[in-house]
Each structure stands twice: as C-alpha cells, then as structure tokens.
Amino acid sequence: MTLEQTATGYRSDLFIGGRWRGGSGERTFPVLDPSDGTVIADFAVATEEDCVAAVDAAEAALPEWSATAPRQRSEILRRAFDILTEEREHLAEIMVRENGKAFADALAEADYAKEFFRWFAEEAVRIPGEFRLSPNGDKRIVVTHQPIGVSLLITPWNFPAAMATRKLAPALAAGCTVVLKPASETPLTAAYVVEVLTRAGVPAGVVNLVTPERVGPAVERMMAHPAVRKLSFTGSTEVGRILLRQAAETVISTSMELGGNAPFLVLPGADVDLAVQGAVVAKMRNGGAACTAANRFYVHRSVYDEFAGKLTDALRGYSVGPGIDRANKLGALVSVKERDKVADLVDEAVTEGARLALGGRKLPDGAFYEPTVLLDVEHGSAITRTEVFGPVSPLVPFDDVDEAVRMANDTIFGLIAYVFGETGQAFSVAQRIDAGMVAVNRGVVSDPAAPFGGMKQSGLGREGSSEGILEFLEEKYIATAP
Ligand code: NAD
C-alpha cells in the first residue's frame, strides 16, 4: 500500500534500495490503535529475502556514502531536522495512533527525536583524529576514524521515533549505511522518519527499512551477512542477550540499550514538593513505558507519609483516555497484552501485602490502566525486580541511607537512578549508585548532547553526545615516518 492509497496517509511499505515497495511474499500485517483496537494500516511483511536485499542495497551504497563530504552529510541531517520541526504535529499524531501514548508525550518525543538530527549534523563535521610523535621519536602516530560499515538498527515500540533517530543520525553522520528494523507494533513512525530522510536528500540505498514477521530468523540472517559490521539495538535485555550471542558468530560490533529498573530515592531532608514533581515526570512520562521510568521508590521514613500523600494527590487528577484527545494526560499502553502484564504485577503485589493508595484497575475498553500508587511494598518483591512499563509507583520505606543505596544497587540493571535530597548528600549518593545515568533533584535526564546508556545488564556503549558517533566509527592507526 502506498502513501497515496492509505486513507490515513500513513506509509506502510518496505524501503529498499531507494524504492518503496510491498514485501515479495505480498503479505501484510495489521497495525493497531491500542486505544480502541482498530486497524489503522496494513504494513508490508518483509520476507527473509527482502531483508537480505536491504543489506545488499546498504552494502552497494556504502562506498559512495562513506566518501561524501562530512558537510554534505551534515546538511542532509540538518534538513531532516528542519522538516521534522515543520511536521512535529504530524509525527506526534502517527505515534499517538500506533503506540497509544498521550499527545503531549508524543509531541515531547517528536521534539527529542528531531534533536538527534540537529546534534549529529553538528557532530558529522567534527569527527576527531590525532597526529603525534611517538615517545621515542621513531614515527608519527596518526589516528583516523572511518565509518564502521553497514549497520543494522533495531528499535522498540515505546519511543518509536526517538530510538530510531538516536541511531540513524549518528550512523549517517559517520558515513555508514543502514537497515532499520522497527518494532512491529510501531512501523508507521519508522516509515515516516525514513521518508523524511529521503526528502532531506539521503541517496538511494543509504537507509533501508524492513519489517519481517518472524523477527528472530530474519535478523539472524541479516547478521550473518558478511557486509554487516554493526548492530545497534534498543530493546529488552532478554532479546539483547540473544543478539549478543549471534553477534559473536561474525564478531559484529554491538551497541546495546537494554532494560532498566530505575530506583527513585527520596533522602531525609529532601524537598518533598520537588521530589513529587520529579516523581510525576520520572514515572508518568510516556505513561510509564520508558526504560528510564522510575520503577521503584525508596523513601526515607521521615518524609514517607508526606511524599506518598502528595504523590497520590498529584496523580489522582490524571485524565486517562485516547491520546488523540489532547486533554488526556495518560494514553493507552501499547497493547492489551502489555496492559495485562502491568495489572498482574499490581495484583501480585497487593496479594503479597502492599496497600493500594490509588488506582489498581484496568479501564473497561482499550489498553488503559489507571495511575496507581502502591504503599509499603517489600523490596525484593516481583514489582521491584521487574520493569513495570506502566503508570505504577511502588513505594518502599527505608530508615538508613546506606540501606537505600544497597537496595537501589540490588538489581541486574543499571540504566538510570533518581536521587532527591540535600544537594551534597544527593550528589554523594549519586556517585555510589551503579547506573550509567543519575538524575539529582530532577525527573528527566535525556538530552541528545549527553551520553545515554547503562551499566551492568542495561547495556553496552552510549548514544547521543560525542560518544554516539564513535559507536559507528572504526579507529585506524597509521604509523608513518617522523
Ligand atoms: P523487545 O526486546 O521485545 O523488542 C525490541 C526490538 O527487538 C523490536 O524491534 C523487536 O521486533 C526486536 N526483536 C524481538 N525479538 C527479536 C529477536 N529474537 N531477534 C532480533 N530482534 C528481535 O523490546 P520492546 O518490548 O519493543 O521494548 C521494551 C524494552 O526496550 C524494555 O525492556 C525497555 O527498557 C527497552 N528500552 C531500552 C531503552 C534504552 O535506551 N536502554 C530505550 C527504550 C526501550
């Protein structure tokens, strides 16, 4: 189906070698609006042969693209930023429709997503190198960077635009060609972003888009293709482990942005109003479906009742409903299956003795779940060990800051943590937490100019910042005469 043929105007084809087309098996899969379960598009299914053709196209385009002047690549990315600035509402609407998120969350994501194009447009012309004399004076050490090669980019459904641009922008800035494989829940956003890049001037074959039905075998086949030298993956730790094993076969460089289980610490002496404000953002941004979402709240007993009361009050007034209605602050989860996972975790916590201060129910229609606050949750219970991915705030009281740090670090994950307290103490606690990112007295950290990524099983490598482009570059040392 082409853009012109769709009633909604959503492009729903594969993009291979500069051409929009259906899959060679001539099959489609439905894309659903999770707020009411309606089919909003039928997207082309990519066969394994289509996936291989996409890698072939990226391989064919690599020599010319990697040889383009950095300024030329930079200007294409900058144009993509300008287009998205013009069309941010349209991008937001696509995300609302296929992902279910609230309109304000979608607009915030559109703005975050486009910034990666601007940031890496600026980085494309600043790729570093070195030229120095060896210590014993026998040679010059020249260090250059070259594009790593054909890159496979795999993205999740929760931030369908930003997770794509956070990979596309540095890959293209570095001079790599790519195959993008979005989540099957949210292919329309990916197709739109790819279309924006073509309008900005990306040549044929540089960016390719595939949506296989049997993802595992199709991705494995692409990774076995000798041209693929990079895998940049954002998704669950479980799938990340599978891909790391597969990457070992052909020794592919990997960047892994995986799951989180973010602790949110409220220390004694914290400004409780500020902590509540931060908690609302850290928890409710994207309806809680964020790898950075505050997942478990450790609150010092001296401020516990006040924090619990004020957080509950702040969330009580949340309007829940279809994201397309801009009055709704909380949209749908991505699917009924995801919503049921959240509901099961809450039910289990309540059975184990946690008390519901707010919410705890599904809405009768659509994949909606109420904002929920759970009190007196046990550290170590399933809800504190599992990435909830929904609007649920489990509160655990603590008496001693060392104990809070121990509980915060008692996880296989290490993506992000939030610490609220008196500045000196909060900063020193931040240094003791095993996470790639720590927010001190604030509810959000993400910024294209800052390194995003996790420790432990939350990932490998960093996106954004100056590190982001290095993930798509290979360092080369040339020894020459002094
Ligand atoms: P997921 O791991 O199920 O899927 C992510 C992507 O991998 C999708 O495109 C999916 O189709 C693909 N995939 C699934 N099985 C595969 C396989 N066997 N081989 C290759 N690809 C496969 O994750 P999700 O449910 O889409 O997203 C939610 C997860 O993503 C959460 O764990 C969240 O924390 C994580 N996430 C992490 C970050 C970060 O930056 N660290 C950002 C957003 C989301």
Side-chain angles (χ1 to χ4, degrees):
M1 206 181 279
T2 66
L3 180 65
E4 292 70 35
Q5 289 167 328
T6 57
T8 48
Y10 301 143
R11 196 178 268 293
S12 42
D13 285 331
L14 314 178
F15 190 63
I16 298 174
R19 199 165 69 81
W20 292 98
R21 65 165 174 86
S24 25
E26 298 186 356
R27 295 182 46 244
T28 60
F29 63 95
V31 182
L32 304 180
D33 179 338
S35 72
D36 58 11
T38 54
V39 176
I40 50 175
D42 292 302
F43 208 99
V45 169
T47 62
E48 282 187 30
E49 286 64 38
D50 293 329
C51 292
V52 172
V55 179
D56 289 341
E59 183 181 19
L62 183 66
E64 200 174 325
W65 179 248
S66 59
T68 52
R71 175 69 72 206
Q72 197 180 332
R73 300 199 295 265
S74 166
E75 283 173 357
I76 290 173
L77 291 172
R78 175 65 206 211
R79 276 199 293 278
F81 168 78
D82 291 338
I83 295 171
L84 285 181
T85 302
E86 282 283 306
E87 300 181 9
R88 62 195 277 276
E89 297 251 341
H90 179 61
L91 171 57
E93 189 197 307
I94 299 174
M95 288 192 278
V96 168
R97 291 296 302 280
E98 66 176 352
N99 169 281
K101 61 179 73 187
F103 210 97
D105 283 331
L107 267 185
E109 180 179 351
D111 289 340
Y112 178 49
K114 72 188 167 70
E115 280 300 333
F116 287 102
F117 286 143
R118 177 156 68 172
W119 174 261
F120 285 107
E122 291 157 352
E123 290 294 289
V125 291
R126 304 206 187 330
I127 293 172
E130 258 186 81
F131 183 73
R132 61 189 156 87
L133 191 61
S134 63
N136 68 8
D138 70 335
K139 60 184 163 315
R140 290 281 165 187
I141 294 171
V142 182
V143 181
T144 64
H145 288 95
Q146 65 187 49
I148 196 162
V150 173
S151 303
L152 183 53
L153 316 178
I154 303 182
T155 53
W157 49 261
N158 64 336
F159 288 108
M163 297 304 97
T165 60
R166 200 162 78 179
K167 299 183 187 309
L168 287 163
L172 298 181
C176 295
T177 57
V178 306
V179 177
L180 173 63
K181 206 299 290 167
S184 46
E185 292 86 347
T186 54
L188 302 176
T189 304
Y192 169 72
V193 169
V194 168
E195 190 194 292
V196 166
L197 282 167
T198 64
R199 281 155 61 198
V202 167
V206 172
V207 174
N208 303 275
L209 173 76
V210 293
T211 46
E213 198 169 39
R214 292 178 58 238
V215 175
V219 168
E220 195 169 5
R221 182 99 181 256
M222 287 192 280
M223 282 174 65
H225 192 301
V228 172
R229 295 313 311 144
K230 176 80 196 180
L231 167 68
S232 178
F233 172 76
T234 297
S236 60
T237 296
E238 194 187 349
V239 173
R241 287 190 197 107
I242 296 172
L243 292 173
L244 280 168
R245 278 194 286 271
Q246 287 172 12
E249 286 299 317
T250 39
V251 194
I252 291 174
S253 158
T254 58
S255 300
M256 293 275 156
E257 295 289 347
L258 308 177
N261 180 7
F264 187 107
L265 274 57
V266 187
L267 306 178
D271 175 335
V272 174
D273 291 319
L274 187 68
V276 168
Q277 226 179 8
V280 169
V281 179
K283 179 73 256 180
M284 300 303 288
R285 181 166 160 257
N286 221 40
C291 53
T292 52
N295 206 53
R296 47 203 173 108
F297 294 78
Y298 298 103
V299 186
H300 191 260
R301 221 175 279 278
S302 61
V303 289
Y304 183 82
D305 288 341
E306 186 187 354
F307 179 82
K310 287 183 169 171
L311 179 63
T312 305
D313 287 346
L315 297 178
R316 186 171 283 124
Y318 252 66
S319 46
V320 186
I324 209 73
D325 176 349
R326 296 187 188 204
N328 289 326
K329 285 171 83 177
L330 179 61
L333 278 86
V334 74
S335 63
V336 167
K337 192 171 140 216
E338 279 295 314
R339 191 271 319 269
D340 288 347
K341 269 203 240 168
V342 173
D344 289 349
L345 277 168
V346 172
D347 294 348
E348 187 181 335
V350 170
T351 309
E352 285 173 357
R355 289 185 298 124
L356 267 173
L358 185 71
R361 284 179 317 196
K362 308 171 186 175
L363 263 56
D365 301 310
F368 297 98
Y369 198 78
E370 290 179 333
T372 297
V373 178
L374 281 168
L375 303 180
D376 304 340
V377 173
E378 281 285 318
H379 169 71
S381 59
I383 204 157
T384 65
R385 299 225 161 264
T386 316
E387 197 176 22
V388 181
F389 248 55
V392 180
S393 307
L395 271 55
V396 181
F398 72 84
D399 295 299
D400 175 63
V401 172
D402 288 343
E403 182 200 357
V405 171
R406 185 191 59 73
M407 291 191 290
N409 286 335
D410 179 24
T411 168
I412 60 165
F413 299 105
L415 186 63
I416 183 169
Y418 301 84
V419 183
F420 280 76
E422 173 276 314
T423 311
Q425 188 184 28
F427 195 78
S428 101
V429 165
Q431 294 187 70
R432 293 168 62 199
I433 293 188
D434 303 329
M437 300 173 287
V438 184
V440 173
N441 289 329
R442 49 182 300 122
V444 66
V445 294
S446 302
D447 187 319
F452 188 105
M455 292 181 180
K456 301 200 278 187
Q457 294 192 33
S458 284
L460 299 168
R462 294 293 179 268
E463 292 192 318
S465 183
S466 41
E467 286 96 322
I469 196 166
L470 295 177
E471 302 271 332
F472 291 94
L473 290 165
E474 195 93 78
E475 203 167 60
K476 180 179 279 175
Y477 156 48
I478 301 169
T480 183

